[in-house]
Amino acid sequence: MNDFVIETHGLTKYYGTREVVSPLDLAVPRGSIFGFLGRNGAGKSTTIRMMLGLVEPTRGSATVLGQDSRSLTPELRARIGYLAEGHHVYGWMTVKECGEWQSRFYQNWNWGVYNGVVDHFGLNPKTKAKGLSRGERAGLCLALTLAPEPELLILDDPALGLDPVARRSLLQSMLYVTRRADRTILFSSHLLSDVERVADHIAILDRSVLRANCSLETFQDRVRQVSLKFPGTPPPPPAIPGLLHSFRTENEMVLTIANMSPETDRILRSLNPKSIDPMPLGLEDAFISYLGDRGEQSFFIPDAEDAA
Amino acid sequence: MSLEIQIATGSSTPIYWQIVDQIGKAVESGAAQPGDQLPSVRALAERLVVNPNTVARAYNDLVRDGVLESQRGKGVFVAERRQVFSDAERRRRLEQAGDVFLHDVRMLGFTTAEIIDYLERRLSEAMPETPREVTHE
């Protein structure tokens, strides 16, 4: 059952004495849409480049489609689609010529997919790439990446700078690709609403440290907000493992907690509140609380199966 | 069946729950009738631009709660049973509606008796066939 297209083992990167990626153990399940999250400079792009063998790890290793990332063969590379940050294209080629040029590097090249994506983003095949808007250029790059029908698609911040319409097209294309159960997408993003829509798994890097690697559902289950109502002024917030955030009003105390357990429940009850009610918490708020300013990196959310 | 589902991202309500809630309401209001077929998981996921697992999870919950029924090889349909929410969920929704009502009404200065009178009259208009006798223990 445990079929992973990417696995990293203690993958570490230093630039000089600066640790960019702390020993990282990550597993990307086959068939998932895997959201790779973290603040700017958390080490996401470096991790992706190490996975692809474009950056040499300082320590540790990564396996991609079963092969060590330092020795990926051309055949294996052809099964990976990589959309780098920034969407670089040759400006003097037309949209169609870009496809023709790129197709020569691949044994598999599906013009149907290419034209489908080009069309989906509303591009004219005769337009020169330098005349395209940012969103259109993203569409072109996506078409170039998808046409070889890669088994594994790695998108580094694909939505950066896209307008809402282009972003929607991007998400639709991502869902379209994973219609086939053996296709996997790993994408990094800051747009949690996009992640919320399409991702089923997430990993969170926080200042080079992995803080979560689980299904989106598990993450939303594990980061909880509860409201405790009191007859009078609430007591000071209790010492609870995993407490991310708290605020108090006249007779209410609201706590955001990671990895709630029966023990947490016991502590909350010992405060003798009038009521304890779960409160809904959006992904963005959960994420911000999780990476909040407490400066602690002690909580880790593993997958539900691992925790059992 | 007219099934209008609107997904709001960035809200405090997870997407799967928005789907559960809106299908539940469509069934409750009669917009979706028993026997109506729902779009396939794949089709609804594409229409809403969300991960198919999210739709599958919503359908599973609704099947578990008896709102929908899954017929092998044919698809997912609105179930016959009209009671669409679990007891705990009915209770939760009642509390929620009550909170809103109390919050709005508190500053209007009516007496408790006036409010009860009003509610009884409205309830008998809105739900004439429901028994209204309350047994006090």
Side-chain angles (χ1 to χ4, degrees):
Chain A
M1 180 59 221
N2 280 353
D3 184 11
F4 299 111
V5 288
I6 302 176
E7 285 179 275
T8 72
H9 305 283
L11 193 68
T12 311
K13 185 65 190 176
Y14 278 82
Y15 284 125
T17 56
R18 192 165 64 92
E19 192 177 45
V20 190
V21 179
S22 294
L24 182 67
D25 293 298
L26 195 67
V28 179
R30 186 183 298 277
S32 60
I33 302 185
F34 195 99
F36 195 27
L37 316 179
R39 302 183 57 191
N40 286 332
K44 301 187 298 289
S45 290
T46 307
T47 304
I48 287 176
R49 289 190 193 118
M50 284 195 285
M51 287 170 177
L52 289 160
L54 304 173
V55 166
E56 179 83 6
T58 308
R59 275 193 299 276
S61 64
T63 315
V64 180
L65 298 175
Q67 237 173 54
D68 190 288
S69 61
R70 274 166 298 200
S71 50
L72 296 180
T73 58
E75 293 75 34
L76 197 104
R77 280 187 189 283
R79 291 160 59 196
I80 307 170
Y82 171 48
L83 186 63
E85 229 174 341
H87 309 135
H88 303 286
V89 285
Y90 292 109
W92 48 270
M93 288 188 193
T94 66
V95 168
K96 184 155 173 277
E97 284 164 351
C98 283
E100 283 165 352
W101 185 72
Q102 187 97 337
S103 71
R104 291 185 209 147
F105 297 96
Y106 291 91
Q107 283 199 315
N108 267 337
W109 184 269
N110 188 332
W111 278 107
V113 169
Y114 186 78
N115 294 329
V117 178
V118 162
D119 194 54
H120 192 54
F121 277 78
L123 308 183
N124 179 345
K126 292 184 191 128
T127 312
K128 285 230 190 317
K130 66 173 176 232
L132 298 175
S133 73
R134 197 161 185 162
E136 290 169 336
R137 210 165 68 214
L140 171 58
C141 287
L142 195 66
L144 292 168
T145 314
L146 295 183
E149 304 200 283
E151 212 173 305
L152 169 62
L153 196 56
I154 297 180
L155 310 174
D156 195 356
D157 213 346
L160 185 71
L162 298 195
D163 66 46
V165 177
R167 254 171 68 200
R168 185 54 61 89
S169 299
L170 171 73
L171 297 184
Q172 283 166 336
S173 304
M174 287 169 68
L175 290 173
Y176 182 81
V177 166
T178 47
R179 269 171 161 230
R180 280 188 50 176
D182 57 349
R183 299 291 166 81
T184 311
I185 300 179
L186 176 133
F187 74 110
S188 64
S189 183
H190 293 294
L191 298 164
L192 290 165
S193 58
D194 288 359
V195 173
E196 191 184 357
R197 273 186 185 276
V198 301
D200 43 32
H201 280 75
I202 58 165
I204 300 178
L205 262 193
D206 180 19
R207 287 162 287 175
S208 85
V209 176
L210 186 69
R211 291 282 307 282
N213 182 16
C214 57
S215 72
L216 184 62
E217 196 182 321
T218 302
F219 183 75
Q220 288 185 300
D221 272 357
R222 292 295 176 80
V223 182
R224 287 296 184 86
Q225 201 166 51
V226 288
S227 148
L228 282 70
K229 293 213 175 67
F230 292 88
T233 312
I240 305 178
L243 180 65
L244 299 168
H245 187 252
S246 67
F247 73 86
R248 293 184 297 163
T249 60
E250 226 171 89
N251 48 20
E252 188 185 17
M253 173 158 67
V254 176
L255 305 171
T256 312
I257 303 167
N259 291 326
M260 267 184 86
S261 66
E263 170 66 6
T264 327
D265 221 41
R266 201 187 55 74
I267 298 173
L268 295 183
R269 273 174 212 295
S270 72
L271 301 171
N272 287 321
K274 233 169 51 183
S275 63
I276 302 181
D277 294 300
M279 287 175 72
L281 184 66
L283 179 63
E284 185 150 350
D285 287 333
F287 180 82
I288 290 168
S289 299
Y290 199 65
L291 298 187
D293 44 19
R294 277 172 60 89
E296 287 187 29
Q297 298 184 311
S298 51
F299 320 122
F300 177 74
I301 298 190
D303 231 343
E305 303 93 76
D306 300 354
Chain B
M1 160 179 58
S2 63
L3 188 61
E4 286 295 325
I5 298 181
Q6 305 282 341
I7 295 301
T9 53
S11 108
S12 58
T13 314
I15 292 176
Y16 107 92
W17 183 250
Q18 296 180 34
I19 299 172
V20 167
D21 189 51
Q22 291 179 48
I23 292 177
K25 280 187 178 139
V27 172
E28 229 178 348
S29 71
Q33 291 287 327
D36 281 353
Q37 182 165 14
L38 277 98
S40 71
V41 166
R42 186 60 71 183
L44 186 58
E46 273 171 22
R47 195 168 96 202
L48 303 177
V49 195
V50 300
N51 191 296
N53 291 336
T54 309
V55 176
R57 185 182 173 202
Y59 277 12
N60 280 341
D61 277 20
L62 287 162
V63 167
R64 188 200 58 205
D65 293 346
V67 180
L68 303 180
E69 59 190 6
S70 167
Q71 293 178 19
R72 193 174 280 275
K74 286 163 100 184
V76 177
F77 299 83
V78 177
E80 286 298 333
R81 208 180 116 225
R82 297 292 301 175
Q83 187 57 60
V84 296
F85 296 118
S86 67
D87 284 353
E89 181 57 21
R90 286 170 59 218
R91 186 81 216 166
R92 197 187 68 81
R93 284 178 184 248
L94 181 63
E95 298 266 352
Q96 207 174 34
D99 284 348
V100 173
F101 178 77
L102 289 177
H103 177 267
D104 289 353
V105 145
R106 202 157 46 181
M107 41 265 287
L108 298 177
F110 291 105
T111 66
T112 306
E114 282 171 327
I115 292 170
I116 290 174
D117 272 357
Y118 168 80
L119 274 178
E120 280 190 340
R121 184 168 57 75
R122 289 300 304 272
L123 281 171
S124 65
E125 285 165 15
M127 311 190 288
E129 74 281 19
T130 316
R132 271 179 301 116
E133 280 307 308
V134 184
T135 38
H136 292 283
E137 285 165 42

